[in-house]
């Protein structure tokens, strides 16, 4: 007889087995890989973090909703603490160069990758196929991601492949690992010789480790380097104060943790990975159940029935099911074998298979790991459904907090404190890695910033704050068209490269390599500035008759350090050179090395510098801050000003195989006509380099009435003062006609014989005009200032003849007329009197066209020879010096002044001296006053005062502060930044006491908060090649310090000056305090 209960159980089992086996039959036809993919994509937990609803009884560590909430809260707290996202005081300062001002909640939304993709140091694109370890490879095995193949195999053969994207792989290493593993870099010629691949191997091996972790466990690594000892060690290694090894130690430590993560992700041990164990147990159980069900069916009554029409009987179908069960058993065994034979950590660097569809066991120079693919994101999807592959939910990130022991060993933060990597691995042998590491360490990628955020957060790993406490301004937001600036004490970073042969570079990088003139004094001075070995820098100096190619790049922000050296040049452009030898902190040191430099603002992206950087770079590279006992002396670039301007120091450009020499003032960035893009030093009062603002007018003629009562002379009583160089009382003109010569009205100036033209004196005006709409505008200086120097005897030093004995001119203690005389003395230098190079009475070829009477003026004060022009009568009154001879106590002022209209001139012998001249102090209220600046230029209520200056004065001049919802620590930083801005604005009070030189530069004092009164002058002056004669022309910009190269410091929008002040800096429109 039959048993109803038994039959019921058989029926249920049969339904389950038949559906399962039919599914397996279909999968078997589809192929082994798809079958395995289905099983591995079951929605199980990862490392015990989430519950599996299908088998609650098997998951003893199922987390309650409350515990999940607690974990997520801890996760966010730890993530924010790692980047100073939470505003709280800490006793141990973090490495971060930024302190965020948003709340933790808004920080998650506005910072980094908002939807969880893992992008490199260039930031997110929100395209999942452009993530690290995925880009270019996608799901294609034997392809490679991130252009790693360019570095791993045959770099020379791929030298011209992929452009600057060749370095994408380097940006996928968690900062600062690429830098730490490549500090010795590679040398010129290593790529061609093949040594490059070996020297890059520590970095490419570490990339392979992370790719292995990505493939085998769908996991990524971030590094939190908050331990002061480890911070200092990294800084010491980068800055050549310690031997290199910490990068390799960190890589080894990360490898230990990565090995444990992968081992547990693969594990079938229910104590380490319950999800995997449940899946395998379920499959094994399903086979046993199927076998039992088939056995039971073979004892059922229907087993005996057959069909005459040929329909397969139950018995035949059970036979088929038996075969499917056998296939299922084999497939499950295959899964177990697959998991057991996955490559270990030690085997991650193997190269066993070539790029072939047949998977030949043959090395191809590319590690197997980088050619393999992890199908992260497909868990829970059907085998043929890849729609979720590489989505954010498919990854986890492990943030490892590292430290350094007293013995120099890397330590990893755990729930039990800092532990050695080996101890962490030992603990992970018996429990999940999640139980070993602190709460919040393991997070889903969509809760974390990108590697770009880490780049900012670790900015101070290389450089810190300036030791002398100097504040400068810096662009606060590269994406804001108003060009806002903030104040900073960050040292910033710079590098200088040298090559004998630029053809070692990729073809598309050769033309752009040479970008500066090399001015360093000696290898020892270079070693002093760069903290390197003197013998290393001997190769920077060419032998006699030879030349080299030089490249300079700097960043004013600490966060840009890694980008400038490691990414932008070494990885992207293959520039050779050891970071420890060619780079350094504090970009002001560039004044001891080069004349020009390229600029990258910060770690967010390449480029981004504005006019604030151009001003600061020039202004703060004019003095030698490092020579012992000589901190007030000119820098090397300032000492080289004449040689650079006059073609004695040159550089060589590679131009598609041709070598072109860059020489003279325009090419070397010493003196440029003011423009509307690069060298800008004259703008209108709203900061725009309008064509009207860029040109000057010099139409104030120096003239006075005579004392004659002759009726003919009374028709034109005014007499112009002219330069009577030959002191004969008659003007010498190159176009004096014969009949004028015969009458005695003028004499002929023969240029070919070296006789200079004599000309009437004119003064610069403060230019004002109206727009077509009737709006008033005025021209004001921009671009910053140059430092003025005293010689050892107290005389002004000439920019074209500086020496190491010159010191920064300080006007402390000078007031009134004494201050005016002091400032005027800086107008009486050859550079301020239109001196240009001269060879046999002509400007050298390449210097550019000069206007008469240049170059025959020798740079002496031509106003000393000024006298009233009485035509054929001659013998006019001398303006300053009778007979052209001035006394040391009463020199001829080379500055503009006012002529007393009641003071008369005469034609007498001997000629007398004009007594009605007085120096024009300050700015002009109209164009009839002889000042090159308007008085509004120092009026804090006027926009002509400068966008930055006026904004600071308006916002904080009344004592307001930047109070906000900030911690005391952050508020103190903001207060210091505001105070620095206020002091910068207050220093410009000295503008009102300045003077206008004969060449249109304006000399004044800056009133420092420390009591110093350094003498400075506008970089704006009349363009020197135009000379003193024209009544109008272009302003020129003279750079005594390092010049920011063309197209490197261009402003956004059309305001070519530093914009308004901001307390915050911004990365991707997100504010932070630095």
């Amino acid at each position: 007889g039959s048993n109803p209960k038994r039959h019921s159980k058989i029926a249920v089992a049969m339904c389950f087995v038949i559906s399962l086996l039919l599914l397996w039959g279909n999968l078997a036809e589809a192929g082994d890989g798809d079958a395995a993919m289905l099983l591995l994509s079951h929605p199980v937990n990862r490392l015990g973090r989430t519950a599996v609803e299908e088998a609650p009884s098997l998951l003893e560590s199922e987390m309650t909703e409350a515990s999940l909430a607690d974990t997520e809260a801890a996760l966010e707290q730890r993530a924010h603490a790692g980047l100073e996202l939470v505003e709280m005081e800490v006793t141990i300062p973090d490495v971060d160069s930024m302190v965020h001002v948003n709340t933790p909640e808004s920080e998650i939304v506005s910072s980094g990758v908002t939807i969880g993709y893992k992008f490199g140091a260039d930031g997110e694109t929100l395209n999942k196929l452009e993530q690290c370890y995925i880009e270019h490879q996608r799901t294609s095995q034997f392809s490679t991601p991130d252009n790693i193949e360019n570095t791993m195999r045959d770099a020379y053969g791929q030298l011209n492949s992929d452009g600057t994207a060749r370095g994408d792989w380097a940006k996928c290493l968690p900062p600062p690992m690429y830098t730490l593993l490549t500090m010795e870099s590679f040398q010129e010629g290593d790529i061609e010789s093949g040594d490059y691949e070996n020297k890059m191997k520590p970095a490419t091996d570490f990339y392979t480790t992370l790719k292995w972790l990505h493939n085998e466990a769908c996991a990524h690594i971030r590094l939190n380097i908050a331990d002061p000892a480890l911070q200092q060690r990294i800084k010491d290694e980068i800055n050549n104060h310690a031997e290199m090894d910490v990068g390799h130690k960190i890589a080894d430590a990360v490898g230990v943790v990565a090995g444990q993560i992968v081992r547990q992700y693969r594990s079938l041990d229910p104590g380490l990975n319950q999800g995997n164990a449940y899946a395998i147990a379920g499959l094994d159980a399903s086979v046993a159940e199927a076998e039992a069900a088939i056995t039971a069916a073979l004892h059922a009554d229907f087993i005996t029935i057959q069909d005459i029409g040929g329909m397969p009987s139950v018995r035949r179908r059970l036979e088929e099911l038996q075969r499917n069960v056998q296939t299922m058993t084999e497939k499950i065994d295959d899964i177990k074998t697959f998991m057991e034979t996955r490559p270990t950590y030690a085997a991650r660097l193997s190269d066993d298979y070539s790029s072939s569809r047949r998977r030949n066991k043959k090395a191809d120079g590319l590690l197997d790991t980088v050619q393999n693919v992890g199908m992260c994101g497909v868990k829970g999807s059907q085998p043929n459904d890849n729609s979720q592959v590489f989505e954010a939910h498919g990854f986890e990130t492990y943030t490892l907090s590292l430290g350094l022991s007293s013995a120099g060993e890397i330590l990893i933060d755990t729930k039990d404190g800092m532990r050695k990597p080996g101890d962490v691995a030992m603990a992970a042998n018996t429990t999940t890695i999640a139980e070993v590491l602190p709460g919040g360490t393991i997070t889903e990628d969509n809760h974390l910033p990108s590697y770009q955020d880490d780049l900012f957060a670790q900015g101070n790993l290389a450089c810190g704050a300036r030791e002398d406490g100097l504040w400068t301004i810096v662009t606060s937001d590269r994406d804001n068209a108003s060009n806002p600036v903030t104040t900073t004490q960050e040292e910033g970073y710079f590098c200088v490269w040298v090559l004998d042969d630029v053809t070692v570079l990729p073809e598309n990088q050769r033309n752009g390599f040479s970008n500066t003139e090399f001015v360093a004094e000696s290898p020892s001075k270079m070693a002093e500035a760069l903290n390197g070995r003197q013998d290393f820098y001997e190769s920077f100096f060419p032998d006699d008759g030879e030349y080299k190619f030089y490249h300079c790049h700097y960043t004013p922000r600490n966060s840009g350090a890694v980008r400038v050296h490691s990414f932008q040049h070494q990885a992207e452009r293959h520039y050779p050179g050891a970071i420890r030898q060619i780079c350094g902190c504090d970009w002001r040191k560039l004044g001891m090395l080069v004349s020009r430099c390229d600029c990258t603002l910060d770690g967010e992206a390449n480029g981004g510098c504005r006019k604030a950087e151009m001003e600061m770079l020039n202004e703060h590279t004019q003095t030698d801050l490092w020579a012992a006992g000589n901190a007030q002396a000119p820098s090397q670039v300032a000492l080289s000003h004449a040689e650079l301007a006059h073609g004695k120091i040159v550089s060589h450009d590679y131009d598609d195989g041709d070598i072109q020499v860059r020489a003279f003032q325009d090419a070397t960035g010493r003196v440029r006509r003011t423009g509307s893009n690069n060298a800008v030093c004259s703008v209108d009062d709203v900061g725009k380099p309008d064509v009207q603002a860029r040109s000057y007018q010099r139409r104030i003629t120096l003239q006075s009435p005579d004392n004659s009562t002759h009726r003919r002379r009374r028709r034109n009583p005014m007499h112009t003062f002219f330069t009577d160089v030959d002191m004969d009382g008659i003007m010498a003109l190159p176009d004096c006609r014969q009949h004028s010569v015969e009458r005695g009205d003028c004499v002929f100036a023969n240029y070919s014989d070296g006789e200079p033209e004599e000309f009437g004196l004119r003064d610069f005006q403060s230019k004002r005009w109206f727009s077509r709409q009737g709006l008033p505008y005025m021209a004001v200086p921009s671009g910053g200032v140059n430092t003025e120097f005293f010689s050892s005897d107290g005389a002004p030093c000439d920019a074209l003849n500086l020496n190491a004995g010159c010191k920064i001119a300080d006007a402390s203690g000078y007031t009134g007329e004494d201050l005016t005389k002091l400032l005027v003395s800086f107008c009486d230098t050859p550079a301020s009197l239109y001196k240009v190079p001269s060879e046999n009475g002509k400007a050298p070829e390449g210097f550019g066209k000069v206007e008469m009477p240049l170059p025959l003026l020798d740079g002496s004060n031509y106003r000393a020879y000024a006298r009233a022009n009485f035509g054929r009568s001659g013998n006019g009154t001398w303006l300053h010096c009778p007979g052209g001879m001035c006394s040391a106590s009463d020199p001829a002022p080379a500055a503009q002044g006012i002529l007393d209209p009641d003071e008369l001139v005469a034609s007498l012998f001997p000629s007398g001296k004009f007594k009605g001249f007085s120096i024009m102090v300050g700015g002009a209220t109209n164009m009839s006053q002889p000042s090159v600046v308007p008085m509004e230029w120092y009026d804090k209520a006027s926009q002509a005062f400068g966008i930055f200056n006026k904004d600071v004065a308006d916002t904080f001049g009344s004592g307001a502060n930047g109070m906000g919802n900030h911690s005391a620590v952050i508020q103190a930083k903001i207060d210091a930044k505001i105070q620095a801005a206020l002091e910068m604005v207050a220093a410009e009070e000295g503008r009102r006491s300045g003077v206008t030189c004969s060449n249109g530069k304006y000399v004044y004092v800056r009133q420092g908060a420390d009591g110093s009164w350094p003498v400075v002058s506008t970089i704006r002056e009349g363009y020197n090649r135009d000379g003193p004669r024209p009544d109008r022309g272009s302003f020129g910009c003279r750079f005594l310090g390092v010049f920011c190269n063309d197209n490197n410091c261009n402003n956004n929008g059309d305001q070519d000056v530093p914009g308004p002040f901001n307390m915050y800096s911004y990365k991707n429109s997100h504010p932070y305090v630095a």
Side-chain angles (χ1 to χ4, degrees):
S2 62
N3 185 332
K5 289 186 178 181
R6 179 171 174 269
H7 292 166
S8 176
K9 291 181 179 178
I10 292 174
V12 171
M14 287 297 295
C15 290
F16 170 74
V17 171
I18 291 172
S19 61
L20 184 61
L21 293 179
L22 287 174
L23 174 61
W24 267 100
N26 292 334
L27 292 177
E29 295 177 3
D32 296 349
D34 290 337
M37 203 178 303
L38 171 71
L39 293 176
L40 291 177
S41 64
H42 197 282
V44 298
N45 69 312
R46 182 183 302 170
L47 301 186
R49 292 193 69 247
T50 58
V52 177
E53 296 178 357
E54 291 84 351
S57 62
L58 295 178
L59 302 181
E60 298 177 356
S61 61
E62 179 179 3
M63 301 178 70
T64 66
E65 183 176 349
S67 65
L68 279 171
D70 292 341
T71 299
E72 294 298 334
L75 177 159
E76 292 181 4
Q77 182 178 4
R78 185 171 186 81
H80 296 319
L83 290 174
E84 286 191 359
L85 305 183
V86 174
E87 298 168 10
M88 55 189 297
E89 295 189 37
V90 291
T91 55
I92 299 177
D94 203 332
V95 62
D96 304 345
S97 64
M98 61 180 180
V99 179
H100 292 275
V101 298
N102 281 9
T103 63
E105 291 76 17
S106 61
E107 180 69 30
I108 293 173
V109 173
S110 62
S111 171
V113 182
T114 59
I115 58 175
Y117 297 141
K118 181 58 66 179
F119 295 99
D122 281 341
E124 68 270 21
T125 67
L126 303 186
N127 182 343
K128 69 177 183 179
L129 299 179
E130 294 178 355
Q131 297 182 75
C132 286
Y133 317 112
I134 295 169
E135 186 173 14
H136 303 309
Q137 183 184 43
R138 302 189 178 187
T139 60
S140 176
Q141 286 186 322
F142 290 112
S143 296
T144 51
D146 305 318
N147 296 306
I148 184 66
E149 73 282 356
N150 289 58
T151 300
M152 190 171 284
R153 179 186 68 184
D154 189 21
Y156 184 67
Q158 302 175 83
L159 185 62
N160 300 310
S161 301
D162 297 315
T164 54
R166 63 176 63 89
D168 285 353
W169 68 273
K171 301 170 187 176
C172 290
L173 304 190
M177 289 305 294
Y178 179 77
T179 297
L180 295 181
L181 295 173
T182 62
M183 279 193 291
E184 281 296 348
S185 185
F186 54 96
Q187 299 305 316
E188 188 172 348
D190 280 356
I191 294 179
E192 183 174 4
S193 70
D195 288 342
Y196 168 79
E197 290 91 332
N198 292 329
K199 291 184 177 180
M200 290 293 106
K201 196 172 188 304
T204 56
D205 282 357
F206 188 60
Y207 174 90
T208 304
T209 297
L210 299 177
K211 173 64 166 155
W212 179 75
L213 178 64
H214 171 95
N215 292 343
E216 302 292 328
C218 295
H220 299 131
I221 294 287
R222 290 180 67 223
L223 301 179
N224 179 20
I225 304 175
D227 175 51
L230 182 55
Q231 291 178 21
Q232 189 60 50
R233 176 67 188 193
I234 291 173
K235 181 176 287 188
D236 287 344
E237 289 195 19
I238 290 177
N239 291 291
N240 208 23
H241 295 301
E243 293 299 318
M244 293 184 301
D245 64 1
V246 73
H248 299 277
K249 290 181 178 180
I250 293 175
D252 291 341
V254 169
V256 170
V257 175
Q260 289 299 318
I261 294 171
V262 170
R263 185 179 68 84
Q264 294 190 3
Y265 187 88
R266 298 170 176 170
S267 178
L268 305 182
D269 181 346
L272 298 177
N273 193 317
Q274 294 177 17
N276 287 355
Y278 161 68
I280 293 296
L283 291 171
D284 286 339
S286 69
V287 172
E289 288 285 346
E291 289 175 337
I294 293 172
T295 299
L298 290 173
H299 289 83
D301 293 339
F302 53 60
I303 199 69
T304 63
I305 303 172
Q306 297 198 77
D307 179 52
I308 191 63
M311 181 180 294
S313 67
V314 173
R315 195 176 187 209
R316 295 282 75 81
R317 292 302 187 189
L318 290 176
E319 182 183 16
E320 293 174 0
L321 288 177
Q322 283 181 322
R323 288 197 297 267
N324 285 345
V325 168
Q326 180 61 34
T327 300
M328 185 174 178
T329 302
E330 293 172 356
K331 297 295 184 184
I332 294 173
D333 289 341
D334 289 343
I335 291 172
K336 295 176 181 177
T337 300
F338 174 83
M339 296 305 299
E340 291 170 356
T341 58
R342 299 302 302 138
T344 63
Y345 174 74
R348 76 196 187 284
L349 303 179
S350 62
D351 180 14
D352 295 332
Y353 297 96
S354 62
S355 301
S356 167
R357 292 185 178 180
R358 295 183 178 179
R359 289 172 170 80
N360 294 330
K361 292 209 68 175
K362 180 181 179 182
D364 61 358
L366 293 174
L367 302 185
D368 296 338
T369 293
V370 302
Q371 300 178 84
N372 197 13
V373 175
M375 299 296 289
C376 304
V378 301
K379 288 172 61 175
S381 302
Q382 291 299 311
N384 293 323
D385 178 9
N386 286 339
S387 62
Q388 295 300 302
V389 70
F390 307 143
E391 289 291 354
H393 60 73
F395 300 101
E396 284 184 339
T397 291
Y398 291 71
T399 301
L400 303 182
S401 295
L402 304 181
L404 189 70
S405 72
S406 58
E409 296 176 298
I410 295 297
L411 303 176
I412 300 173
D413 192 17
T414 70
K415 288 182 178 179
D416 296 325
M418 288 289 187
R419 295 290 183 266
K420 297 178 182 179
D423 295 337
V424 174
M426 186 176 298
N429 285 331
T430 57
T431 186
T432 64
I433 194 76
E435 291 298 317
V436 176
L437 300 175
T441 296
I442 307 171
T443 65
E444 296 173 357
D445 268 7
N446 58 355
H447 282 272
L448 290 173
S450 69
Y451 285 148
Q452 185 184 87
D453 293 273
D454 296 350
L455 198 64
F456 270 75
Q458 296 175 4
N460 290 343
L461 279 179
C463 308
R466 300 184 184 106
E467 292 184 1
D468 61 1
L470 175 74
W471 287 91
T472 55
I473 61 173
V474 65
T475 297
S476 64
D477 186 356
R478 63 168 62 220
D479 301 315
N480 191 321
S482 68
N483 303 298
V485 298
T486 190
T487 48
T488 182
Q489 290 179 307
E490 288 183 277
E491 288 182 296
Y493 194 71
F494 66 92
C495 294
V496 179
W497 290 265
V498 61
L499 285 178
D500 292 314
D501 179 12
V502 295
T503 63
V504 301
L505 300 176
E507 288 180 356
N508 64 353
Q509 297 301 318
R510 296 170 186 173
N511 287 2
F513 180 84
S514 179
N515 74 342
T516 192
E517 290 74 42
F518 184 63
V519 300
E521 178 184 351
S522 64
S524 61
K525 284 290 186 180
M526 286 192 71
E528 184 178 86
L530 293 171
N531 193 47
R533 303 189 313 272
Q534 178 175 329
D535 60 328
F536 178 88
Y537 300 114
E538 291 174 357
S539 63
F540 275 70
F541 294 79
D543 295 332
D544 291 341
E546 297 182 354
Y547 59 83
K548 294 177 181 287
F549 303 92
Y550 303 92
H551 185 91
C552 174
H553 208 112
Y554 91 105
T555 173
R557 308 305 298 259
N558 290 345
S559 68
V562 170
R563 176 168 292 280
V564 164
H565 176 273
S566 299
F567 298 151
Q568 195 170 359
H569 295 90
Q570 180 174 288
E572 292 181 2
R573 291 170 168 81
H574 281 343
Y575 286 10
I579 181 174
R580 288 153 53 95
Q581 297 286 349
I582 64 176
C583 302
C585 296
D586 200 337
W587 51 263
R588 295 178 296 173
K589 294 180 179 180
L590 287 173
M592 307 303 295
L593 304 172
V594 296
S595 62
R596 299 178 286 126
C597 205
D598 288 354
C599 183
T600 285
L601 180 63
D602 53 28
E604 180 180 334
N606 297 348
C609 295
R610 307 295 173 215
K611 283 299 179 290
E613 284 65 63
M614 177 172 275
E615 288 190 22
M616 295 296 98
L617 181 62
N618 172 63
E619 184 174 325
H620 295 288
T621 54
Q622 299 175 16
T623 55
D624 182 352
L625 303 177
W626 296 274
N630 199 28
Q632 299 285 308
S635 66
Q636 196 61 35
V637 68
L639 293 172
S640 304
H641 186 73
E643 293 176 288
L644 289 163
H646 295 175
K648 304 300 182 182
I649 295 178
V650 304
S651 60
H652 295 81
D653 279 354
Y654 180 93
D655 185 10
D656 294 329
D658 295 330
I659 305 300
Q660 298 184 355
V661 176
R662 290 178 63 98
F664 298 106
Q665 62 182 25
D666 293 273
T668 61
R670 297 307 89 201
V671 183
R672 293 273 190 92
R673 288 188 191 273
T674 186
S676 59
N677 190 27
N678 291 304
V680 176
C681 56
S682 192
V683 297
D684 63 22
D685 47 315
V686 294
K688 297 180 180 180
D690 184 273
V691 65
Q692 289 272 21
R694 302 199 308 265
S695 61
Y696 63 77
Q697 289 182 348
R698 184 163 45 191
R699 293 177 177 173
I700 299 177
T701 302
L702 274 66
Q703 57 184 6
S704 291
D706 66 18
N707 60 356
S708 172
T709 59
H710 191 281
R711 61 180 180 84
R712 293 182 62 186
R713 294 221 179 142
R714 294 299 293 173
R715 295 175 185 171
N716 187 21
M718 304 302 292
H719 296 269
T720 299
F721 286 98
F722 76 101
T723 55
D724 191 12
V725 177
D726 58 10
M727 292 184 288
D728 64 356
I730 309 295
M731 286 191 73
L733 302 173
D735 56 354
C736 185
R737 299 180 180 180
Q738 184 61 35
H739 66 273
S740 296
V741 172
E742 293 173 354
R743 288 202 311 266
D745 294 333
C746 58
V747 297
F748 181 73
N750 191 341
Y751 260 63
S752 61
D753 290 341
E755 298 174 354
E757 172 189 5
E758 297 174 348
F759 54 94
L761 298 182
R762 298 174 180 271
D763 279 348
F764 285 87
Q765 299 165 275
S766 171
K767 191 174 181 181
R768 300 170 186 263
W769 68 95
F770 289 91
S771 69
R772 292 181 179 179
Q773 293 76 28
L775 300 175
Y777 289 93
M778 63 191 74
V780 296
S782 67
V785 299
N786 288 323
T787 302
E788 298 290 349
F789 294 90
F790 276 140
S791 64
S792 57
D793 60 3
C797 289
D798 176 30
L800 295 173
N801 192 28
L802 292 172
N803 59 70
C806 295
K807 304 285 185 181
I808 295 175
D810 193 313
S812 299
Y814 287 82
T815 59
E817 186 176 345
D818 290 338
L819 176 61
T820 299
K821 288 182 178 180
L822 175 68
L823 298 181
V824 168
S825 69
F826 291 97
C827 298
D828 192 1
T829 64
S832 305
L833 290 162
Y834 296 99
K835 182 175 178 60
V836 297
S838 177
E839 297 176 357
N840 300 319
K842 297 182 179 180
E845 184 178 355
F847 181 75
K849 181 182 178 182
V850 298
E851 300 294 334
M852 297 183 294
L854 301 179
L856 298 177
L857 290 179
D858 60 2
S860 61
N861 186 357
Y862 51 82
R863 292 204 172 203
Y865 310 111
R867 68 192 312 180
N869 181 15
F870 276 83
R872 72 190 67 173
S873 299
N875 298 319
T877 301
W878 296 95
L879 178 60
H880 298 300
C881 307
M885 303 295 292
C886 296
S887 65
S889 61
D890 188 21
Q896 297 187 171
I898 300 172
L899 300 181
D900 185 345
D902 296 326
E903 186 70 20
L904 304 178
V905 294
S907 174
L908 297 173
F909 184 83
S911 302
K913 176 184 176 181
F914 187 76
K915 298 180 181 180
F917 180 86
S918 59
I919 298 296
M920 175 69 189
V921 176
T925 59
N926 56 65
M927 292 184 65
S928 66
Q929 294 178 308
S931 176
V932 74
V933 301
M935 63 174 297
E936 290 87 344
W937 188 53
Y938 47 78
D939 180 0
K940 294 180 181 179
S942 172
Q943 57 189 358
F945 186 45
I947 296 176
F948 166 77
N949 293 333
K950 186 176 187 302
D951 183 62
V952 172
D954 288 349
T955 307
F956 303 107
S958 61
N961 59 29
M963 288 298 292
N965 187 24
H966 308 309
S967 68
V969 171
I970 294 178
Q971 188 60 52
K973 292 182 178 181
I974 291 175
D975 291 343
K977 292 165 72 67
I978 293 172
Q979 182 60 35
L982 285 168
E983 291 177 0
M984 292 178 187
V985 173
E988 297 305 309
E989 181 68 21
R991 291 179 180 181
R992 66 178 61 250
S993 300
V995 300
T996 300
C997 296
S998 298
N999 72 334
K1001 82 173 182 179
Y1002 190 80
V1003 184
Y1004 66 101
V1005 296
R1006 279 186 167 167
Q1007 300 176 357
D1010 60 354
S1012 63
W1013 276 29
V1015 180
V1016 297
S1017 58
T1018 60
I1019 71 167
R1020 188 186 78 166
E1021 58 186 45
Y1023 188 51
N1024 61 350
R1025 292 205 330 238
D1026 292 344
R1029 188 175 66 107
D1031 61 357
R1032 57 185 175 181
S1034 299
F1035 279 116
C1037 315
R1038 184 179 295 274
F1039 297 92
L1040 199 60
V1042 177
F1043 176 71
C1044 184
N1045 274 319
D1046 289 352
N1047 303 316
N1048 272 264
C1049 288
N1050 300 333
N1051 267 20
N1052 286 316
D1054 55 4
Q1055 292 178 328
D1056 238 324
V1057 295
F1061 172 71
N1062 202 312
M1063 296 176 291
Y1064 310 131
S1065 297
Y1066 292 82
K1067 184 186 77 67
N1068 295 325
S1069 300
H1070 175 71
Y1072 65 92
V1073 176

